[in-house]
Amino acid sequence: MLNASTASALVVQDISWQDPIANGSATLASYSGAGAQQALRLLHDALPVCKKYSGVNYTGKYRAELTARKSPEFGDEAVSFHITYPEPELGGFLDTHYVVVRTGGVVAAFTDSRAGKKAKFPTGHVTEQVNRLRVAQRS
């Protein structure tokens, strides 16, 4: 879902605002029909059961932990979670906060990554962007 592989259109914007090592991003994925609802439902249903997973990145194998947070009240529906994995070169761990929001047929995923501390995507930015998405879909 986070790669938006079933989306009709996709735009990803990297954000580098505070920490030069860790960044954030905003992803907009447009779906046809009920695709946006289905994509967010898959993510919502996976969060309670996916607590840890393994992967490989540029430093080699890793084991990540996923921590679901209280679902925020943005758009038509939303979820929030953190993915944390060990990163010895960057303060011991890298934490990424995800806020994923559906507004109509669009899913927006916002991330903030922090090295050595908990990340938190600013909710004011999410509110502003979700309002813009809502207005744009009405035109």
Side-chain angles (χ1 to χ4, degrees):
M1 202 312 298
L2 294 178
N3 295 328
S5 59
T6 61
S8 303
L10 175 69
V11 176
V12 179
Q13 175 67 52
D14 288 331
I15 302 167
S16 181
W17 53 32
Q18 296 174 13
D19 188 340
I21 295 172
N23 296 310
S25 67
T27 302
L28 296 177
S30 178
Y31 294 84
S32 60
Q37 293 94 328
Q38 292 168 349
L40 201 64
R41 177 62 38 207
L42 286 172
L43 178 59
H44 182 271
D45 291 349
L47 288 177
V49 294
C50 180
K51 302 291 184 197
K52 295 183 180 190
Y53 65 91
S54 299
V56 177
N57 66 10
Y58 69 95
T59 63
K61 293 181 181 180
Y62 67 88
R63 184 152 176 86
E65 291 186 17
L66 187 145
T67 307
R69 298 289 182 224
K70 181 182 175 195
S71 294
E73 295 186 23
F74 295 119
D76 296 324
E77 56 185 322
V79 296
S80 177
F81 58 97
H82 285 259
I83 294 179
T84 307
Y85 64 90
E87 191 60 70
E89 296 175 16
L90 299 176
F93 66 93
L94 186 67
D95 181 72
T96 302
H97 180 212
Y98 292 81
V99 177
V100 183
V101 182
R102 182 184 67 80
T103 301
V106 175
V107 175
F110 303 96
T111 69
D112 182 32
S113 295
R114 298 292 162 177
K117 59 184 173 182
K118 280 289 187 191
K120 182 169 175 141
F121 198 94
T123 57
H125 294 309
V126 175
T127 301
E128 182 179 335
Q129 296 307 317
V130 169
N131 287 338
R132 288 179 178 173
L133 287 171
R134 187 169 283 154
V135 169
Q137 290 183 77
R138 289 184 190 145
S139 346

